Each structure stands twice: as structure tokens, then as C-alpha cells.
């Protein structure tokens, strides 16, 4: 194991232990417990192959019964994934919007008119064999969804004792590791913008489950007791529909719950009290923020379509210790608590990744990557990756390599640093919007129809 892996593993373990999550005999290399990993930073704590295909370095492949863009999560030898399985007829598969997909079949049939089983599936992470499958809810959806969305888009989270699955307006469910239902909650049904559906994943910290429920009528942020599902605290939010997930920022001064929107806000994770806010100048919050020690990187997608959210596109680097309004004035790009501000940063649907001192942001439609110096905010390059289609899944890093998977299932591996270099292309020719999980020296790669375990 090299020095970078040792340092990263120790850091992950320190964060997990301080969060009050029971690790037992599980090391940070054996788990990927929530969206983008234990720290939600997309940094691998174990090595997986750099090259693969549908037949090369594939340990196993499991067929998926239903739709879902949720990411797999792993705890030791258990892998969890959620699905929306159609009852009695074939699912309306999401299409590759803006990548040549046929959208007519989605317009001809309304997914709300179909019955779905919302399921949590547990697989053996080493063999791909199904351990158990439980239905959280069966019935017609309570809200519409965009043709590119699914009814199982939110990534589950596990603490090694329970697995928590959130299906948007159709409830949150807690199962033990044997598949027994422990508790469930209906947090309400609220309209989403243009019936696009939901996507914000829950996170777990200090035995609290946090959910960001931004919508068109009554947005709120809630902390649930992870053991019982009961409210610990709930705060209203002055936001409309947003799609990013919250993150827990553990910096040198305190723990902060960071939640995106047209204003980025920091909350006390124990009480829900507002610590600070930052005006993002509108835009859409789809990408989840990135927290790295004493720096927090937040941004919203640039919008220019004549809507109320036109604007945004900025990326900010935040220092810890702030309170109140951190928004720089019109003449400022930095303040006491804002290190820098970048205009038209390139942040869109995919969440940013960090490697070798640089941030990597992927554009949704054009296959373009933006590389930004994490200390200064200066842009090192803006390049279109040759042959790349749209990017919806978030990139991840391993050592000095950055992995970017496009909607066609091709993963482009970039050399980390200020110079643009593609060092590998790995093709799995299937529609892919889910961000992989990395654990057990393996990559768990979900497409629209199958789940691959990539391992030497």
C-alpha cells in the first residue's frame, strides 16, 4: 500500500469513528457507505483496475430487475442497491436526454400510470449472488418524473447495522442487514418543478439521518433519529426544487451540515441552527458540494433559459469559521471566509472531484472537463475529452488518476494535474448515469440494466 492510500485510509477511519458509526472489523477499504463514499468526496480508499471492459477484469455481473440511478453502497461483503421494479409490464426505461436517446416512448406512456415495487436489494459483494430483496412500497407513484429520471434515484446509506433507503416523496425505509423492516416514515408529498422528480440522497452522521426535501410548496431539512425514524429537528427552507445532496463538513473548528440551493447554507448538525449562508446568484443546485479538510467547494449550474433561476455557474472555495452572510460584494472575489470565486466554472450535474491539488468539473452535454487549481481558483485547462458523450455520473479519483464515466458507459481516465492527458478508455456499452462504488479492491459499476463488479 502506498503512502497516499495509507493517509487516505487513516483519514477515513478517523472521520467514521468521530461520527459515531460502528465499524466493527470493517476497514475504510471495505466500505463505501453512502453517495460518493464515506466522506462523500469520491476518493477511493482501495485500488481497483485502471483498465476494464465488459469482459476484461470483470469478477461478476448481476442483472437488475427495475429502473434506478441510485448508486450501490458497500459494507464489507454486503452490497445494497435500490430499484423501482414495474409490476405486470415492462418498465419505461429512462432515456439518454441530449445524447441521442429516443424520447417518444416516454411521452407515449406516463410512468405515474404504472405500478412499481420500490425495492432494496442486498447482494454478496464478492460473488454477486442475491442475499435478499425487500419491497419497501408497492403502488402507483405519487408524483411524476422527468423522462430521464427514475423512481429509485436517491442513493441509500448504511452504517453496518442498518440500511436506509429514501425514495423521494414515497418515503424513507430502514432495514436491518437481514432484510427485516425496522421502521418507515412518510415525510409528505410535495410537488417538484415541472414534475421532474427527486434525487437528493440522505446522509448519516452521529446516529442522525439527514434529508433535504426542497420542493415547490414547503421545503425543509430534517434530521431523523437513525434508530427510530422520529424527528430530532426540522427547519423550513426558503428554496424551491433542488437536486443536490447535503454533505457533512468536518473541518478544524466544527462539524457543519452543508446544504445546496440558490443560497448555500451551513447548519449545526445537532440543532439545525443556521450558521452561515452564501448567495449563489441563482442557478440550479444539482451537483453535491465537496468538503476537504479546511476547504469547502460549492457551486450551482449556470442557467440561461429565461427562467426564474437564470444565473449561477459560480464555484466558491469556503474557509471554516464563518457566520452570518458570507456573500462577497460585487467588487470582490474573496473575503475573510471565501478564498476565491470562479465564474462559469463548468459545474453542472456531476459533483466535483479533487486530485493532485486540482478540482475536476464535468459538463453535462458536451463532454468537457474543467481543471481548476484548488488553492487559487485559476483554471488550468478546459478541454473536451475526445469521444466523450454527456456526463451525469460524478467523477472519482484513485491516486493520481481521475475517472470520468459518460452516459454511454465509457470511463475516461485522466492524469491528475494541470496538464490534460487521457491515459485510458474503458467501455461498457450501456446507458450509465449512476456513480460507481469502490471497496474491496473492486469497482461496482451500475448501468441501466446491470451491475458489474470490476476486479483483477
Amino acid at each position: 500500500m502506498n503512502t497516499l492510500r495509507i493517509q487516505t485510509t487513516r483519514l477515513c477511519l478517523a472521520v467514521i469513528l468521530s461520527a459515531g458509526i460502528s465499524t466493527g472489523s470493517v476497514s475504510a477499504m471495505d466500505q463505501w457507505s453512502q453517495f460518493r463514499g464515506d466522506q462523500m468526496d469520491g476518493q477511493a480508499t482501495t485500488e481497483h483496475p485502471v483498465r476494464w471492459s465488459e469482459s476484461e477484469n470483470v469478477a461478476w455481473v448481476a442483472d437488475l430487475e427495475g429502473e434506478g440511478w441510485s448508486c450501490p453502497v458497500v459494507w464489507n461483503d454486503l452490497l445494497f442497491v435500490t430499484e423501482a421494479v414495474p409490476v405486470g409490464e415492462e418498465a419505461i426505461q429512462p432515456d439518454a436526454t441530449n445524447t441521442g436517446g429516443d424520447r417518444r416512448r416516454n411521452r407515449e406512456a406516463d410512468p405515474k400510470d404504472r405500478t412499481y415495487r420500490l425495492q432494496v436489494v442486498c447482494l454478496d459483494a464478492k460473488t454477486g449472488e442475491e442475499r435478499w430483496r425487500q419491497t419497501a412500497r408497492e403502488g402507483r407513484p405519487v408524483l411524476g418524473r422527468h423522462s430521464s429520471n427514475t423512481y429509485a434515484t436517491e442513493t441509500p446509506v448504511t452504517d453496518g447495522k442498518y440500511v436506509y433507503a429514501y425514495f423521494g416523496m414515497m418515503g424513507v425505509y430502514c432495514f436491518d442487514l437481514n432484510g427485516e423492516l425496522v421502521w418507515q416514515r412518510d415525510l409528505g408529498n410535495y410537488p417538484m418543478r415541472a414534475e421532474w422528480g427527486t434525487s437528493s440522497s440522505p446522509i448519516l452522521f452521529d446516529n442522525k439521518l439527514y434529508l433535504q426535501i426542497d420542493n415547490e410548496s414547503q421545503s425543509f431539512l430534517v434530521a431523523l433519529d437513525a434508530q427510530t425514524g422520529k424527528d430530532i429537528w426540522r427547519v423550513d427552507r426558503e428554496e424551491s426544487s433542488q437536486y443536490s445532496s447535503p454533505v457533512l463538513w468536518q473541518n478544524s473548528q466544527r462539524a457543519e451540515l452543508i446544504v445546496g440551493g440558490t443560497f448555500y447554507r451551513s447548519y449545526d448538525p445537532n440543532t439545525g441552527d443556521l450558521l452561515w449562508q452564501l448567495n449563489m446568484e441563482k442557478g440550479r443546485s444539482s451537483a453535491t458540494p465537496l468538503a476537504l479538510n479546511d476547504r469547502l467547494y460549492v457551486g450551482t449550474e449556470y442557467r440561461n433559459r429565461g427562467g426564474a433561476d437564470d444565473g449561477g455557474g459560480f464555484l466558491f472555495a469556503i474557509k471554516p469559521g464563518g457566520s452570518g452572510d458570507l456573500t462577497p460584494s460585487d467588487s470582490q472575489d474573496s473575503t475573510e471566509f471565501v478564498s476565491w470565486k470562479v465564474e462559469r466554472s463548468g459545474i453542472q450535474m456531476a459533483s466535483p472531484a479533487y486530485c493532485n491539488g486540482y478540482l475536476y468539473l464535468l459538463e453535462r452535454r458536451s463532454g468537457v472537463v474543467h481543471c481548476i487549481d484548488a488553492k487559487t481558483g485559476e483554471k488550468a485547462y478546459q478541454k473536451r475529452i475526445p469521444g466523450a458523450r454527456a456526463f451525469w455520473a460524478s467523477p472519482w479519483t484513485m491516486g493520481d488518476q481521475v475517472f470520468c464515466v459518460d452516459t454511454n458507459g465509457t470511463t475516461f481516465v485522466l492524469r491528475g494535474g494541470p496538464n490534460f492527458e487521457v491515459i485510458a478508455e474503458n467501455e461498457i456499452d450501456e446507458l450509465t448515469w449512476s456513480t460507481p462504488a469502490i471497496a474491496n479492491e473492486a469497482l461496482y459499476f451500475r448501468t441501466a440494466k446491470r451491475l458489474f463488479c470490476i476486479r483483477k
Side-chain angles (χ1 to χ4, degrees):
M1 182 182 292
N2 60 36
T3 302
L4 174 63
R5 289 182 62 199
I6 293 173
Q7 291 174 342
T8 305
T9 301
R10 288 175 177 169
L11 177 60
C12 287
L13 285 171
V15 171
I16 295 165
L17 291 171
S18 66
I21 296 175
S22 174
T23 61
S25 61
V26 180
S27 76
M29 294 185 293
D30 299 327
Q31 65 190 57
W32 191 267
S33 61
Q34 57 190 348
F35 176 59
R36 305 199 76 206
D38 293 338
Q39 296 184 84
M40 300 186 73
D41 59 7
Q43 295 191 25
T45 58
T46 184
E47 293 184 3
H48 63 74
V50 176
R51 297 182 182 274
W52 65 86
S53 68
E54 293 184 36
S55 58
E56 179 188 4
N57 283 330
V58 175
W60 54 260
V61 182
D63 292 331
L64 300 173
E65 293 186 8
E67 67 176 39
W69 293 129
S70 61
C71 309
V73 297
V74 180
W75 192 276
N76 201 1
D77 62 344
L78 298 180
L79 180 147
F80 303 98
V81 69
T82 59
E83 295 183 278
V85 181
V87 176
E89 54 186 329
E90 185 180 354
I92 304 174
Q93 289 289 343
D95 69 52
T97 306
N98 299 315
T99 60
D102 181 6
R103 300 184 64 185
R104 291 175 296 175
R105 59 177 176 171
N106 295 284
R107 294 190 180 112
E108 290 169 356
D110 189 340
K112 287 190 299 181
D113 295 336
R114 299 203 169 187
T115 297
Y116 287 88
R117 291 192 186 106
L118 304 181
Q119 295 191 332
V120 180
V121 185
C122 177
L123 303 179
D124 187 304
K126 295 183 179 179
T127 67
E129 295 180 359
E130 187 172 305
R131 294 278 191 94
W132 52 261
R133 174 185 296 267
Q134 291 291 356
T135 297
R137 178 188 185 275
E138 181 173 335
R140 291 190 176 183
V142 300
L143 76 167
R145 65 162 172 79
H146 193 276
S147 61
S148 63
N149 204 351
T150 74
Y151 287 119
T153 295
E154 295 83 1
T155 297
V157 57
T158 182
D159 58 5
K161 294 180 179 179
Y162 305 104
V163 57
Y164 306 87
Y166 175 53
F167 293 96
M169 304 303 176
M170 291 179 283
V172 56
Y173 303 83
C174 171
F175 293 89
D176 66 21
L177 298 194
N178 294 316
E180 297 296 324
L181 181 66
V182 178
W183 56 261
Q184 66 184 68
R185 283 289 306 274
D186 181 352
L187 296 174
N189 177 22
Y190 308 96
M192 296 294 291
R193 178 177 179 176
E195 289 198 327
W196 285 347
T198 60
S199 67
S200 180
S201 298
I203 66 169
L204 191 64
F205 174 73
D206 196 22
N207 295 314
K208 300 179 186 67
L209 189 70
Y210 301 97
L211 298 107
Q212 175 185 354
I213 305 177
D214 289 344
N215 54 77
E216 295 302 296
S217 66
Q218 189 178 337
S219 296
F220 61 95
L221 177 69
V222 63
L224 304 182
D225 186 308
Q227 307 296 318
T228 66
K230 296 180 180 179
D231 286 14
I232 296 176
W233 55 256
R234 181 185 296 221
V235 294
D236 293 334
R237 284 172 46 80
E238 296 179 4
E239 293 285 349
S240 58
S241 301
Q242 303 295 336
Y243 308 94
S244 57
S245 301
V247 299
L248 203 289
W249 181 24
Q250 289 188 307
N251 54 59
S252 60
Q253 300 192 27
R254 62 194 177 191
E256 304 182 38
L257 183 64
I258 307 299
V259 184
T262 53
F263 278 77
Y264 255 87
R265 294 179 174 91
S266 169
Y267 300 87
D268 185 319
N270 292 315
T271 65
D273 292 340
L274 182 66
L275 301 176
W276 55 259
Q277 68 179 23
L278 175 68
N279 189 344
M280 304 303 293
E281 302 180 39
K282 299 186 178 181
R284 182 191 298 167
S285 183
S286 299
T288 295
L290 178 63
L292 297 171
N293 301 322
D294 273 0
R295 285 296 179 274
L296 173 71
Y297 303 97
V298 301
T300 56
E301 178 182 2
Y302 175 71
R303 302 286 291 171
N304 185 23
R305 297 189 175 185
D309 60 352
D310 276 5
F314 297 99
L315 183 71
F316 292 84
I318 311 298
K319 293 179 282 188
S323 63
D325 190 351
L326 304 188
T327 307
S329 67
D330 293 340
S331 61
Q332 293 177 306
D333 288 334
S334 63
T335 63
E336 180 182 0
F337 297 107
V338 176
S339 294
W340 48 257
K341 170 185 175 183
V342 174
E343 185 177 1
R344 301 297 290 270
S345 64
I347 191 169
Q348 294 188 0
M349 302 294 288
S351 303
Y354 173 88
C355 184
N356 281 0
Y358 291 84
L359 301 171
Y360 296 83
L361 303 99
L362 304 176
E363 290 191 14
R364 176 165 35 133
R365 298 183 181 87
S366 57
V368 170
V369 58
H370 298 249
C371 177
I372 296 174
D373 189 306
K375 289 185 178 180
T376 66
E378 296 181 0
K379 188 167 289 188
Y381 64 76
Q382 176 180 337
K383 297 283 188 179
R384 189 183 190 283
I385 300 176
R389 302 295 294 270
F391 288 113
W392 289 67
S394 296
W396 69 96
T397 63
M398 183 180 71
D400 64 349
Q401 298 155 343
V402 184
F403 295 78
C404 312
V405 57
D406 73 4
T407 55
N408 278 9
T410 300
T411 304
F412 299 86
V413 186
L414 309 181
R415 181 79 66 192
N419 300 313
F420 177 72
E421 179 185 0
V422 180
I423 59 177
E425 294 183 21
N426 305 314
E427 183 177 352
I428 293 179
D429 189 18
E430 295 184 16
L431 181 61
T432 304
W433 287 352
S434 178
T435 302
I438 303 103
N440 303 318
E441 297 186 335
L443 179 75
Y444 299 95
F445 190 101
R446 181 179 189 171
T447 71
K449 296 181 178 180
R450 296 191 287 175
L451 180 63
F452 292 78
C453 175
I454 309 297
R455 188 170 58 215
K456 289 184 180 179

